[in-house]
Amino acid sequence: MDDLLAQLRAGLPAEALITDPDVTVSYANDMASFCEAGTPSVVVLPRTVEHVQHVMRTATALRVPVVPQGARTGLSGAANASDGCIVLSLTKMDRILEINPVDRIAVVEPGVINAALSRAVGEQGLYYPPDPSSWEMCTIGGNIGTASGGLCCVKYGVTAEYVLGLDVVLADGRLLTTGRRTAKGVAGYDLTRLFVGSEGSLGIVVKAVLALRPQPPQQLVLAAEFASAAAACDAVCRIMERGHTPSLLELMDRTTIRAVNAMANMGLPDTTEALLLAAFDTPDPAADLAAVGELCTAAGATEVVPAEDAAESELLLQARRLSLTALETIKSATMIDDVCVPRSRLAEMLDGTAAIAGKYDLTIGVCAHAGDGNTHPVVCFDQADPDESRRARESFDEIMALGLELGGTITGEHGVGTLKKEWLSRELGPVGLELQRGIKRTFDPLGLLNPGKLF
Amino acid sequence: MDDLLAQLRAGLPAEALITDPDVTVSYANDMASFCEAGTPSVVVLPRTVEHVQHVMRTATALRVPVVPQGARTGLSGAANASDGCIVLSLTKMDRILEINPVDRIAVVEPGVINAALSRAVGEQGLYYPPDPSSWEMCTIGGNIGTASGGLCCVKYGVTAEYVLGLDVVLADGRLLTTGRRTAKGVAGYDLTRLFVGSEGSLGIVVKAVLALRPQPPQQLVLAAEFASAAAACDAVCRIMERGHTPSLLELMDRTTIRAVNAMANMGLPDTTEALLLAAFDTPDPAADLAAVGELCTAAGATEVVPAEDAAESELLLQARRLSLTALETIKSATMIDDVCVPRSRLAEMLDGTAAIAGKYDLTIGVCAHAGDGNTHPVVCFDQADPDESRRARESFDEIMALGLELGGTITGEHGVGTLKKEWLSRELGPVGLELQRGIKRTFDPLGLLNPGKLF
């Protein structure tokens, strides 16, 4: 330990090191429940690529595990410390290095906050779509580590689709550049994409070239109420089948609506079973909303309310963005699931989740990126009650099993971390898992990078 | 050899094997010039996954290399036979297994022709964007192997962005399923993307889940003439900087225009230095064309001609699609380069290419996916003239060097194959190359899959 600190100090400024255990312990966790976390030896806050290289060379020399972290807003324990590790917090490497409107790219350090980038590119008429709910806090590096999604994905896709190239410090401290600044490129295997979603287990991202889009028009939102989740899902299928391209298509169930009303007094229709929010950022959003409103009515919507302006739209989005936080107030703890199914199976997923809630006698609120088939069942429970905690964990697993049964995945956008690592092998199967482990060994033969995550 | 045939026959129907050397030799090459090709031992045309597994098990048991092939329309020698290899032609596995308009996916076998898929999904109001020039012949499996692009990419991206999941037969015959049928998913490393563009060197794709989009409105095309390539490139930059999203943005130089006129008598303006084609498939394409026409004029266009209808638009696109074929008529042989640079550097790339043509006293016609910065300089030469052939090869290399110097890549969409493998290490650098080789070893420890390609 003294050796580790001495060697780290040799290549880092004093202010880059935190050794006070009262402080380092605050870096032990991300935002996932039920995920074990160890005690870090030291927290390092590098400001340069050379700092990161020094940390990795030291870690390799002394065989010390390294856990990279962004803002620790993750929901799967992927950023949790392991015992004796170096926590490598990239939050101080937070410069936007370049915004280029002709090439439509931004070059950033990993600690840049998602919202800061969105605003900076917005000032130049550009748009960086990925918008996880934590966008005001989370970092681009963390978004890359988990391949984050958000509300935008139904039209604009996930983080992975916006990462063109990376600078990565490898486990042994060498610097790797992947990808490109160009719109296209097929020179060799796509290492860039391999790092996206790798949860810090293959290398430390120290720079990213990101693709941007032109800023779309302000979106307009429609809210539609349904007497059942299945009817709302039917509307989702009709909307997508008819070739509409909403900029978001979100679902909140009754539990979620009530929780949001209770927390923020938003006046959502809390006697309804499911609320669907659809938005368009097209040249004529009102026309698109009218067409989608008709499809909702045909699917059995009891009420269809298009927002009249940006302010009304923003209010509805606020309600959706508050959903997770609001559901967290129901009990002392929550487990947030992240099962994504083909959208044609969404109704089965929601009805099945309701059945699981009944079976385990639990409150499970669901909000969903419905257009993507990506559900977030939030299992609410009392951590002080061992039996309820056990039932929560079991229901959480049963929800994943249902997702796989419906042709889905255990994680649409939150990642595997420690929370779902037993489930990863179930989804990938033995052949896939063997190859994934082989890739891990190729990049990190000593197994120092974020050990115990993913696999 | 007898052993090989006997073992192959044990698990394959007779009609799946071609052993006649007069026939097998016709499977030796793709469409690249200057790429060595060996003599295959046998050509296998499997019809089922089990056939492919049998071939790979046999190849592994006997240590025989396997070269997978689609329609052999590739331009980098990636599908060229190596001596004594099994050529595995996937062209008979050509079924479209599913088209699902709600989930917006298609599930296909690798031998499906790109155009056949496009038409089939079009009948259901859906759109599969990737459109390489060879789209009437090339297969989806080949498109996946090379991560093909096309005219659509400036708006819709490349093949990689449409591959959600794969079934892959590994070198040892095991079957791997990667990815998903869902819109999103982050369970483990992105193996799907690793296979896309891997040129058959990691496994044999036997099934693909592809993402589809709603069919956009018919596009309308504008043609703009410029007195210099630089002025046309300036127009490209202005169009992209102003936030337009053309569905194609193509450039033809004077050599290309004249070649097309000579071949097809199309009446293109062949005294002009550069012709820019811009198209929009938006709700109001005429308005977009008007705005873009003004930007072209501001950049110095000498003439701006918007197509009045779909027929006129189609004619202009035909001219562009004929470009490579037309340039091939200038001399006995051509080498087609595929350098992609940031679009802000496109003018330098084109001027530099013209200078290289002058230096080597060669005709080099350029057509380009200008919106992507992806140029196709076509070096025309007489194969019977050793000195001209040498100069052709040297100019080809110098064009790649220029591309790298401008922050670009040696290949935007055609791939590495054998044509550019010396150049791959130059682009990737030693660290990147070492990791790429490590991945290759993980998937294909015996080095049987398409040996001698890429690296």
Side-chain angles (χ1 to χ4, degrees):
Chain A
M1 172 70 182
D2 287 350
D3 203 22
L4 171 64
L5 292 180
Q7 290 208 28
L8 286 175
R9 281 195 184 108
L12 294 168
E15 66 272 19
L17 281 162
I18 304 175
T19 54
D20 179 349
D22 292 343
V23 183
T24 58
V25 72
S26 69
Y27 286 81
N29 284 86
D30 67 13
M31 287 172 67
S33 308
F34 267 118
C35 291
E36 68 273 26
T39 306
S41 286
V42 54
V43 173
V44 181
L45 295 146
R47 290 190 177 264
T48 69
V49 174
E50 292 69 29
H51 290 170
V52 176
Q53 291 187 284
H54 178 72
V55 170
M56 292 315 305
R57 283 191 204 108
T58 306
T60 289
L62 301 177
R63 305 289 194 267
V64 179
V66 175
V67 176
Q69 289 184 346
R72 290 181 294 114
T73 52
L75 293 164
S76 69
N80 283 10
S82 38
D83 275 330
C85 78
I86 300 168
V87 160
L88 188 60
S89 170
L90 283 307
T91 48
K92 300 288 185 196
M93 290 180 70
D94 61 353
R95 289 178 304 161
I96 297 174
L97 302 170
E98 183 186 346
I99 296 172
N100 185 324
V102 171
D103 294 330
R104 289 189 186 162
I105 57 172
V107 183
V108 303
E109 291 184 332
V112 170
I113 305 289
N114 181 298
L117 177 63
S118 293
R119 289 190 186 110
V121 305
E123 281 168 21
Q124 302 199 33
L126 293 162
Y127 178 43
Y128 178 70
D131 62 345
S133 340
S134 57
W135 73 302
E136 293 279 7
M137 289 178 286
C138 63
T139 65
I140 297 297
N143 295 169
I144 291 172
T146 49
S148 304
L151 303 185
C152 73
C153 305
V154 65
K155 178 165 183 177
Y156 294 103
V158 298
T159 298
E161 290 168 56
Y162 295 87
V163 186
L164 296 177
L166 294 171
D167 278 7
V168 181
V169 174
L170 298 172
D172 58 13
R174 287 184 300 172
L175 185 63
L176 168 72
T177 297
T178 74
R180 51 202 161 78
R181 289 172 60 94
T182 54
K184 291 151 84 180
V186 290
Y189 305 136
D190 191 344
L191 298 189
T192 307
R193 193 67 169 240
L194 203 54
F195 282 104
V196 179
S198 66
E199 303 187 358
S201 68
L202 300 178
I204 311 292
V205 170
V206 291
K207 194 167 89 178
V209 183
L210 303 173
L212 305 173
R213 288 172 167 262
Q215 187 81 54
Q218 178 71 45
Q219 64 186 356
L220 213 54
V221 180
L222 166 147
E225 300 172 26
F226 292 88
S228 73
C233 295
D234 182 29
V236 168
C237 291
R238 288 170 190 244
I239 291 166
M240 299 307 280
E241 191 173 20
R242 286 294 181 90
H244 291 286
T245 306
S247 49
L248 67 83
L249 190 50
E250 297 286 320
L251 185 147
M252 297 162 70
D253 74 352
R254 182 204 279 240
T255 306
T256 307
I257 297 166
R258 290 188 172 184
V260 170
N261 274 343
M263 192 175 74
N265 216 343
M266 295 199 101
L268 297 175
D270 65 4
T271 56
T272 203
E273 281 302 316
L275 187 69
L276 197 65
L277 301 178
F280 285 83
D281 58 5
T282 47
D284 187 1
D288 289 308
L289 288 188
V292 159
E294 279 176 31
L295 293 173
C296 287
T297 303
T302 52
E303 183 88 43
V304 173
V305 187
E308 304 230 319
D309 53 31
E312 270 183 46
S313 296
E314 193 44 42
L315 208 66
L316 288 165
L317 290 190
Q318 281 296 341
R320 169 60 187 87
R321 287 195 185 273
L322 282 175
S323 296
L324 289 184
T325 314
L327 286 166
E328 281 166 359
T329 64
I330 292 180
K331 289 262 186 170
S332 74
T334 54
M335 294 185 77
I336 302 167
D337 221 325
D338 173 38
V339 170
C340 188
V341 295
R343 70 176 71 87
S344 58
R345 313 299 296 271
L346 189 60
E348 292 164 83
M349 187 68 215
L350 291 184
D351 286 348
T353 302
I356 291 167
K359 173 178 166 188
Y360 288 98
D361 190 21
L362 289 163
T363 298
I364 302 181
V366 180
C367 51
H369 307 308
D372 294 320
N374 190 185
T375 67
H376 292 313
V378 178
V379 183
C380 306
F381 65 101
D382 180 0
Q383 232 165 344
D385 179 340
D387 184 67
E388 193 164 290
S389 299
R390 178 192 54 76
R391 282 182 281 128
R393 177 75 224 196
E394 285 178 17
S395 69
F396 186 81
D397 286 349
E398 205 160 315
I399 288 166
M400 283 190 278
L402 174 63
L404 290 180
E405 200 184 303
L406 295 174
T409 170
I410 57 165
T411 175
E413 59 181 12
H414 292 174
V416 175
T418 58
L419 186 66
K420 296 188 171 182
K421 64 183 183 171
E422 285 81 17
W423 282 83
L424 185 67
S425 57
R426 210 156 140 173
E427 175 162 340
L428 297 181
V431 181
L433 201 65
E434 182 189 315
L435 290 167
Q436 301 243 348
R437 286 183 195 276
I439 289 170
K440 167 72 173 171
R441 275 193 304 274
T442 300
F443 284 79
D444 180 22
L446 300 172
L448 298 177
L449 283 166
N450 215 7
K453 312 295 162 57
L454 271 173
F455 307 118
Chain B
M1 171 71 182
D2 287 349
D3 204 24
L4 171 63
L5 292 181
Q7 290 207 28
L8 285 175
R9 280 195 184 106
L12 294 168
E15 67 272 18
L17 280 163
I18 304 176
T19 55
D20 179 349
D22 292 344
V23 183
T24 57
V25 72
S26 69
Y27 286 81
N29 284 86
D30 67 14
M31 288 174 64
S33 308
F34 267 118
C35 291
E36 67 272 27
T39 306
S41 288
V42 54
V43 174
V44 181
L45 295 147
R47 289 189 178 266
T48 68
V49 175
E50 291 70 29
H51 290 170
V52 177
Q53 290 186 286
H54 178 72
V55 170
M56 293 314 305
R57 282 191 204 108
T58 306
T60 289
L62 302 178
R63 305 290 193 266
V64 179
V66 175
V67 176
Q69 289 184 346
R72 292 181 295 113
T73 52
L75 293 165
S76 70
N80 283 9
S82 38
D83 275 329
C85 78
I86 301 168
V87 161
L88 188 61
S89 170
L90 282 308
T91 47
K92 301 288 184 197
M93 291 180 69
D94 62 353
R95 290 178 303 161
I96 297 172
L97 302 170
E98 182 185 346
I99 297 172
N100 184 324
V102 172
D103 294 330
R104 289 189 188 164
I105 58 171
V107 183
V108 302
E109 291 184 332
V112 170
I113 305 289
N114 181 299
L117 177 63
S118 292
R119 290 191 186 109
V121 305
E123 282 168 18
Q124 301 199 34
L126 293 162
Y127 177 42
Y128 178 69
D131 61 345
S133 339
S134 57
W135 73 304
E136 292 280 7
M137 288 179 288
C138 63
T139 65
I140 297 297
N143 295 170
I144 291 171
T146 50
S148 305
L151 304 185
C152 74
C153 304
V154 66
K155 179 166 181 177
Y156 294 104
V158 297
T159 298
E161 290 168 56
Y162 295 88
V163 185
L164 297 177
L166 294 171
D167 278 7
V168 180
V169 174
L170 298 173
D172 59 12
R174 287 183 300 171
L175 185 64
L176 168 72
T177 297
T178 74
R180 50 200 163 80
R181 289 172 61 94
T182 54
K184 292 151 81 180
V186 291
Y189 305 137
D190 191 344
L191 298 189
T192 306
R193 193 65 169 242
L194 203 54
F195 281 104
V196 179
S198 67
E199 302 187 358
S201 68
L202 299 178
I204 311 292
V205 171
V206 291
K207 193 167 90 176
V209 182
L210 303 173
L212 305 173
R213 287 171 169 263
Q215 187 81 53
Q218 177 72 43
Q219 64 185 356
L220 213 53
V221 180
L222 166 145
E225 301 172 26
F226 293 88
S228 73
C233 295
D234 182 29
V236 169
C237 291
R238 289 170 190 243
I239 291 166
M240 299 306 280
E241 191 172 20
R242 285 295 180 88
H244 292 286
T245 306
S247 49
L248 67 84
L249 189 51
E250 296 288 319
L251 184 148
M252 297 163 71
D253 74 353
R254 183 205 280 239
T255 306
T256 308
I257 296 166
R258 290 188 172 186
V260 170
N261 274 342
M263 192 175 75
N265 216 346
M266 294 200 102
L268 297 176
D270 66 5
T271 55
T272 204
E273 282 301 317
L275 188 68
L276 198 65
L277 301 178
F280 285 84
D281 60 4
T282 45
D284 187 0
D288 289 307
L289 288 188
V292 159
E294 279 177 31
L295 293 173
C296 288
T297 303
T302 52
E303 184 89 44
V304 173
V305 186
E308 304 229 320
D309 53 31
E312 272 183 43
S313 295
E314 193 44 43
L315 208 64
L316 288 166
L317 290 190
Q318 281 296 342
R320 170 60 188 89
R321 286 195 186 272
L322 282 175
S323 297
L324 288 184
T325 314
L327 286 166
E328 282 166 359
T329 65
I330 293 180
K331 289 263 186 171
S332 74
T334 53
M335 295 187 75
I336 302 167
D337 221 325
D338 173 40
V339 170
C340 188
V341 295
R343 69 175 71 87
S344 58
R345 313 299 297 271
L346 189 60
E348 291 163 84
M349 187 68 215
L350 291 183
D351 286 347
T353 301
I356 291 167
K359 172 178 167 187
Y360 288 98
D361 191 20
L362 290 164
T363 299
I364 302 180
V366 180
C367 50
H369 308 307
D372 294 320
N374 190 184
T375 67
H376 293 313
V378 178
V379 183
C380 306
F381 64 102
D382 180 1
Q383 232 165 346
D385 179 339
D387 185 66
E388 193 164 290
S389 298
R390 179 192 53 77
R391 283 183 280 130
R393 177 75 224 196
E394 285 179 17
S395 70
F396 186 81
D397 285 349
E398 207 161 314
I399 288 166
M400 282 190 278
L402 175 62
L404 291 180
E405 202 183 302
L406 295 174
T409 171
I410 57 166
T411 177
E413 58 182 11
H414 292 173
V416 176
T418 59
L419 185 67
K420 298 189 169 180
K421 63 183 184 171
E422 284 81 18
W423 283 84
L424 185 67
S425 57
R426 212 158 139 172
E427 176 163 339
L428 297 181
V431 181
L433 201 65
E434 182 189 314
L435 291 168
Q436 301 244 348
R437 286 184 195 276
I439 289 170
K440 167 73 174 169
R441 274 193 304 276
T442 300
F443 283 81
D444 179 23
L446 300 173
L448 299 176
L449 283 165
N450 216 7
K453 313 297 164 54
L454 271 175
F455 307 118

